[in-house]
Amino acid sequence: MKVPVLKIEHMNISFTQYDRGMRQVELPTIRDLNVEVHEGEIVAVVGSSGSGKSLLAHGVMGVLPYNASMGGKIVYRGEELTADRIARLRGNEIVLVPQSLSYLNPFAKVGYQIRKGRKDAQTRQRLDDIFKRYDLKKEVEDLYPFELSGGMNRRVLIATAMIENPRLVIADEPTPGLDLKVAKRAMRHFRELADMGAAVLIITHDLELALETVDRIAVFYAGTTIEEAGVGDFEKEETLRHPYTKALWRAMPKNGFQFIPGSQPYVKNMPEGCPFMPRCGQCTEACRGQIPYKEIRGGRVRCLYAE
Amino acid sequence: MKMGNRRIRVLAGLGFSLTFLAVVCIWGSLSTETARVTDFSRVNIPPCLRYPFGTDWLGRDMLARTLKGLSMSIWIGILSAAVSAAVALVLGITSATMGKAADSVISFLIDLIMGVPHILLLILISVALGKGLRGVIIGVSLTHWPSLARLIRAEVIQLRESPYIQIARRLGKGRWYIAGKHMLPHLIPQFIVGLVLLFPHAILHESSVTFLGFGLSTEQPAIGIVLSEAMKYLVTGKWWLALFPGLLLVFTVVMFYVMGESLRKLLDPNSVHQ
Amino acid sequence: MTLEIKNVSYQYEEKGRQILDHFSLSIDSRERVGLEAPSGFGKTTLCKLLSGYLEPDEGEILLDGRPLSSYKGYCPVQMIWQQPEFAVNPRLRMKEVILEGDQVEERIVRELGIEDDWMRRFPGELSGGELQRFSIARALGKRTCFLLADEISTMLDLITQSQIWDFLLRETEQREIGLVAVSHDRELLDRICTRVVRLS
């Protein structure tokens, strides 16, 4: 098997916050997260909103907030991605497609922003190609972001990532609040990036959309990845591995809309061992210990009883 | 990565500035008599152990005069900053809640006052009111509110449109409930920080006006008077007359800034965990 | 009880887009009506009109034959917003959110799966799904007759979505609260509603 473009091993991200008064507390928002993305592949990290999954993107890009610290190992194309290395690669080989359209500069024309001010013939040629591919007219180059619709601006955001010919694209919640048709169209652009040889990591809350548009899914629960599965595994409940993923599957409107009670544990009162334990029907005393992330049937799962 | 406890450092800064200002105020109030005593047996002594700030041409102890002047300036600063902040609060809220007409009038006032240099307007008001303590306090109060008023106006306008306040209205909550429960918790920190950051301006402007001769009368040992009198003797080599009072004034102003910035860091949710 | 929309037109200020053009719909409080519309249709605007946040340019909105705007104080038509993060004051603890509602029963809080520990926290310390439970509880006060759900579960994970809808269906049925669910998700609306209206 080829070396993955991005391999995250045992990533930990914690925040230092003030409790009452002077006391500082550590909040381990991401704990022992593992995921890998290969060339030409789209992987989605799916987790509920407000659970801290955006931090994963910020951690890889080296743009965590001041009070966060990160542990674990990030390997990019076989070599560790150190702070120096990401600072060099960020914006050309590794790009981030941010969540909000507010990342576009409202005072710069679209074409200028995408070219990042460069005017050489090669960049101009690339821009033309990208515009053709994304159905953007030549005139759009000379418009400002506020003159475009939301959907067009989203394409512009992706285009700013594409102009660099990136090897790794990380997209943070690229389709917030869009309906399925529009969201799927946005996701098609990522597929094109992957077809050109990039590795794409998408962070989203929308499992149903991910199932229709990506290759593999990593399920994010309580700050960690509990399962990595191919999209095909989601066709039947039996091919899934973790009890939480199975519960997610059953909760889809088309699969019965059933639910399990409870909610994800809060970082301050995270149980020892398996974070899903309080809601799991199969849990035993052994679940309180260390749970290894093991490979089963071509995917990975963090559960002692997965087969 | 070790970060150290920033909050302790910020609180230490706050504590130090508060103590410094309190000491100046109290010491100043206690040295009213010492500051006034003239003694021709000790005129023009440069700084020494007995008189750390030296003495002036009338043999007055410069340390006592400086402290007295500073404490007076601090009191004037606090008083006029408080009046100014109160004006800002009332006008800011009125302009944001009482409809278009009130808003245009107040916005016009804000622009008008901000368009004229503070010191000029201050001199005009002070002179028109016959200079003296009253003139200075009213002058400073009337010229320093616009920036804070503008801040509060913007905050209230933004709050008014926020979903949770719209929801509270649909839940049948009245104006007073919304103002007290939803708006105040957002406004108070802004207001306190704004108020504290007004002090240094108020003090500096008070001393400038007095220094220029449009403020307090010469009998009052305000820091502006001390400095302006010292200027006349500076050319004759009495450097200590202006240096120490000037330094202490600068230090006081800096301390107020430290206090304001520390408060802002503690109260602002964006930096509260730094 | 019925909530009636009669010939309502609405346009954003000045030269803005026409959101609704002589739109009519009648909803009974024993019904659950789904409104399906694509992104950018103005679903949120429609919800705001129906719950009295906005006044229509033309036409009227009647609750039990009386104009909605004539109900002073607590509005019997309550709306749940799409993004719970903005619907709660970041400086108030969560128990205050519940207290804002109209004597919200303890039972509702419990059935929504709100834990005691959450009550003491600030909104920044809860996830989207947890916050949404609070804004639902707040909207289900004693005098609520109609509930508008504006894409309330699109940003939530599937399990939370189905927990919340399970509760809302039971609660609205039992108290005969009319439910209007707005979403772009046809499958979801088919699951939860007694009638789906397609807007385009």
Side-chain angles (χ1 to χ4, degrees):
Chain A
M1 203 165 162
K2 284 177 79 177
V3 182
V5 176
L6 178 73
K7 185 174 183 177
I8 298 174
E9 285 180 308
H10 311 295
M11 179 194 254
N12 290 296
I13 296 179
S14 60
F15 280 92
T16 318
Q17 286 204 337
Y18 289 95
D19 220 16
R20 257 156 239 252
M22 294 300 116
R23 213 148 51 90
Q24 279 181 318
V25 284
E26 288 272 313
L27 292 182
T29 313
I30 288 186
R31 302 163 311 134
D32 199 12
L33 180 139
N34 298 273
V35 72
E36 52 182 65
V37 199
H38 293 85
E39 211 176 283
E41 182 189 44
I42 306 183
V43 174
V45 173
V46 179
S48 58
S49 68
S51 61
K53 59 190 186 315
S54 297
L55 284 176
L56 162 62
H58 298 157
V60 175
M61 300 303 287
V63 290
L64 285 172
Y66 52 84
N67 58 342
S69 58
M70 182 167 73
K73 197 169 169 193
I74 303 172
V75 180
Y76 171 70
R77 308 219 301 151
E79 245 181 276
E80 184 158 354
L81 190 63
T82 55
D84 287 343
R85 194 151 169 248
I86 183 66
R88 233 176 322 117
L89 299 177
R90 182 165 58 207
N92 42 71
E93 261 188 53
I94 303 179
V95 293
L96 175 73
V97 179
Q99 174 169 2
S100 162
L101 293 177
S102 62
Y103 281 79
L104 288 171
N105 179 352
F107 299 117
K109 287 180 183 166
V110 162
Y112 178 86
Q113 268 191 76
I114 299 178
R115 294 195 312 266
K116 306 201 172 72
R118 283 173 303 204
K119 288 188 187 140
D120 53 298
Q122 205 191 343
T123 315
R124 283 190 184 281
Q125 185 56 44
R126 271 195 74 79
L127 183 75
D128 286 347
D129 291 348
I130 292 170
F131 267 42
K132 229 169 264 155
R133 194 191 286 263
Y134 282 172
D135 265 349
L136 290 166
K137 293 207 180 69
K138 191 97 179 89
E139 298 88 87
V140 173
E141 265 190 63
D142 287 321
L143 297 178
Y144 291 92
F146 74 90
E147 296 174 290
L148 303 178
S149 72
M152 280 166 112
N153 272 326
R154 202 150 279 288
R155 274 178 273 170
V156 168
L157 258 189
I158 300 175
T160 37
M162 283 195 62
I163 193 107
E164 301 289 348
N165 213 357
R167 286 174 190 271
L168 173 63
V169 178
I170 299 178
D172 184 9
E173 204 77 72
T175 58
L178 298 179
D179 66 52
L180 201 59
K181 217 171 83 200
V182 184
K184 269 192 201 160
R185 209 180 310 146
M187 294 295 280
R188 236 187 2 246
H189 302 315
F190 289 105
R191 173 57 68 194
E192 280 171 8
L193 274 169
D195 289 344
M196 285 163 56
V200 182
L201 181 70
I202 286 175
I203 295 166
T204 178
H205 73 279
D206 196 337
L207 177 62
E208 284 162 307
L209 175 70
L211 283 178
E212 298 205 34
T213 49
V214 309
D215 303 308
R216 264 180 333 110
I217 287 178
V219 181
F220 184 85
Y221 183 83
T224 186
T225 39
I226 50 146
E227 175 163 355
E228 262 180 272
V231 163
D233 294 344
F234 280 83
E235 269 160 35
K236 290 199 304 281
E237 192 186 339
E238 293 73 50
T239 44
L240 293 171
R241 298 162 189 86
H242 197 281
Y244 174 71
T245 322
K246 291 182 182 187
L248 268 182
W249 188 88
R250 289 195 302 271
M252 286 196 232
K254 64 171 181 218
N255 296 340
F257 210 42
Q258 294 164 28
F259 61 88
I260 53 163
S263 49
Q264 298 197 12
Y266 182 48
V267 260
K268 279 185 187 166
N269 20 25
M270 199 62 77
E272 286 284 309
C274 175
F276 188 62
M277 191 168 53
R279 305 168 76 187
C280 184
Q282 310 168 259
C283 89
T284 61
E285 201 47 43
C287 295
R288 290 181 194 281
Q290 278 283 327
I291 316 285
Y293 200 40
K294 58 186 179 186
E295 297 214 9
I296 292 178
R297 288 183 274 115
R300 289 199 282 178
V301 63
R302 193 186 298 277
C303 177
L304 294 174
Y305 304 105
E307 288 151 6
Chain B
M1 194 171 66
K2 267 263 173 270
M3 304 248 314
N5 199 322
R6 290 268 294 267
R7 189 177 280 188
I8 287 180
R9 293 219 303 270
V10 168
L11 273 177
L14 187 64
F16 181 70
S17 48
L18 262 178
T19 324
F20 173 78
L21 296 171
V23 166
V24 169
C25 275
I26 295 167
W27 196 344
S29 317
L30 292 179
S31 41
T32 314
E33 276 314 304
T34 344
R36 211 176 284 157
V37 175
T38 53
D39 182 350
F40 288 96
S41 66
R42 56 171 200 198
V43 287
N44 292 335
I45 303 174
C48 60
L49 273 179
R50 185 127 181 255
Y51 305 107
F53 283 18
T55 60
D56 65 3
W57 61 98
L58 292 175
R60 291 175 293 194
D61 181 359
M62 282 308 284
L63 177 64
R65 283 200 74 191
T66 305
L67 286 170
K68 176 64 198 160
L70 266 181
S71 79
M72 189 150 172
S73 292
I74 291 175
W75 285 119
I76 293 176
I78 289 177
L79 191 63
S80 45
V83 174
S84 217
V87 172
L89 187 67
V90 172
L91 289 185
I93 293 177
T94 313
S95 129
T97 51
M98 295 297 167
K100 272 223 167 93
D103 190 27
S104 0
V105 172
I106 293 170
S107 297
F108 175 74
L109 267 180
I110 292 177
D111 290 340
L112 184 75
I113 294 184
M114 286 188 99
V116 183
H118 267 171
I119 195 79
L120 199 68
L121 199 59
L122 183 48
I123 290 174
L124 284 176
I125 296 175
S126 175
V127 170
L129 289 170
K131 303 200 227 171
L133 201 60
R134 203 174 54 130
V136 170
I137 292 179
I138 294 178
V140 174
S141 309
L142 288 186
T143 47
H144 284 67
W145 58 270
S147 52
L148 185 58
R150 189 137 81 170
L151 197 78
I152 288 173
R153 172 177 170 271
E155 184 78 15
V156 173
I157 285 177
Q158 198 200 348
L159 279 173
R160 215 176 40 181
E161 294 307 317
S162 66
Y164 53 86
I165 285 182
Q166 291 186 43
I167 290 169
R169 273 192 220 121
R170 303 311 300 160
L171 288 167
K173 303 296 176 197
R175 255 167 206 266
W176 294 110
Y177 173 91
I178 289 174
K181 197 96 189 172
H182 286 297
M183 294 197 173
L184 265 188
H186 288 265
L187 292 179
I188 282 179
Q190 297 250 22
F191 176 74
I192 292 177
V193 173
L195 173 71
V196 173
L197 289 178
L198 270 180
F199 293 161
H201 278 271
I203 292 174
L204 269 185
H205 280 135
E206 179 271 319
S207 353
S208 322
V209 167
T210 308
F211 179 81
L212 293 172
F214 300 106
L216 302 182
S217 58
T218 34
E219 300 91 66
Q220 281 152 322
I223 194 79
I225 298 285
V226 173
L227 283 173
S228 90
E229 286 181 350
M231 288 306 283
K232 291 178 224 152
Y233 292 85
L234 208 57
V235 280
T236 57
K238 315 281 184 312
W239 52 272
W240 61 91
L241 294 182
L243 181 69
F244 291 112
L247 274 183
L248 218 54
L249 174 64
V250 170
F251 198 63
T252 306
V253 168
V254 169
M255 280 299 117
F256 269 119
Y257 266 112
V258 169
M259 203 162 108
E261 285 297 311
S262 311
L263 274 174
R264 193 184 57 73
K265 277 187 192 142
L266 290 177
L267 297 173
D268 183 354
N270 290 325
S271 61
V272 76
H273 288 300
Q274 265 182 22
Chain C
M1 269 197 156
T2 46
L3 181 62
E4 278 175 285
I5 310 165
K6 276 191 173 164
N7 264 322
V8 164
S9 300
Y10 186 82
Q11 185 168 29
Y12 280 130
E13 277 177 71
E14 278 138 49
K15 54 181 181 173
R17 207 155 49 89
Q18 187 86 26
I19 305 284
L20 291 173
D21 189 13
H22 297 282
F23 179 74
S24 298
L25 183 69
S26 173
I27 303 153
D28 188 82
S29 61
R30 277 163 307 215
E31 280 191 292
R32 293 190 299 268
V33 178
L35 299 179
E36 189 199 357
S39 301
F41 171 82
K43 287 174 288 194
T44 304
T45 311
L46 177 59
C47 282
K48 285 186 175 171
L49 283 164
L50 275 174
S51 48
Y53 287 88
L54 296 171
E55 287 284 316
D57 296 338
E58 255 181 83
E60 18 175 34
I61 290 160
L62 304 173
L63 177 64
D64 247 6
R66 251 174 74 195
L68 188 63
S69 51
S70 71
Y71 288 82
K72 297 291 169 219
Y74 191 85
C75 179
V77 184
Q78 286 291 328
M79 163 175 164
I80 305 166
W81 293 53
Q82 177 175 2
Q83 280 167 310
E85 293 86 351
F86 303 128
V88 291
N89 189 338
R91 299 213 179 210
L92 294 183
R93 284 182 199 275
M94 296 315 293
K95 58 171 176 274
E96 307 263 0
V97 173
I98 299 288
L99 287 176
E100 268 207 323
D102 181 30
Q103 301 172 46
V104 178
E105 288 173 65
E106 179 66 40
R107 175 186 59 82
I108 294 176
V109 175
R110 214 175 40 244
E111 284 181 33
L112 270 166
I114 293 173
E115 294 169 17
D116 284 344
D117 176 44
W118 302 356
M119 292 284 209
R120 290 187 291 273
R121 291 194 216 148
F122 286 104
E125 300 170 306
L126 291 170
S127 74
E130 288 157 359
L131 288 173
Q132 193 61 288
R133 292 167 206 253
F134 278 93
S135 46
I136 291 170
R138 176 176 60 185
L140 280 169
K142 255 173 52 188
R143 283 173 282 175
T144 302
C145 306
F146 279 90
L147 199 63
L148 302 178
D150 176 24
E151 298 267 21
I152 58 168
S153 58
T154 26
M155 295 304 281
L156 310 181
D157 67 273
L158 290 162
I159 292 176
T160 311
Q161 161 170 298
S162 106
Q163 283 176 342
I164 282 178
W165 281 113
D166 173 74
F167 164 78
L168 276 176
L169 299 195
R170 277 187 286 120
E171 183 72 15
T172 51
E173 193 138 322
Q174 187 200 327
R175 285 170 55 186
E176 291 201 356
I177 292 175
L179 180 74
V180 181
V182 182
S183 178
H184 62 255
D185 189 343
R186 181 82 204 203
E187 270 169 12
L188 175 71
L189 291 179
D190 283 342
R191 272 251 157 223
I192 58 179
C193 295
T194 51
R195 171 160 74 108
V196 178
V197 178
R198 206 193 168 99
L199 309 169
S200 53

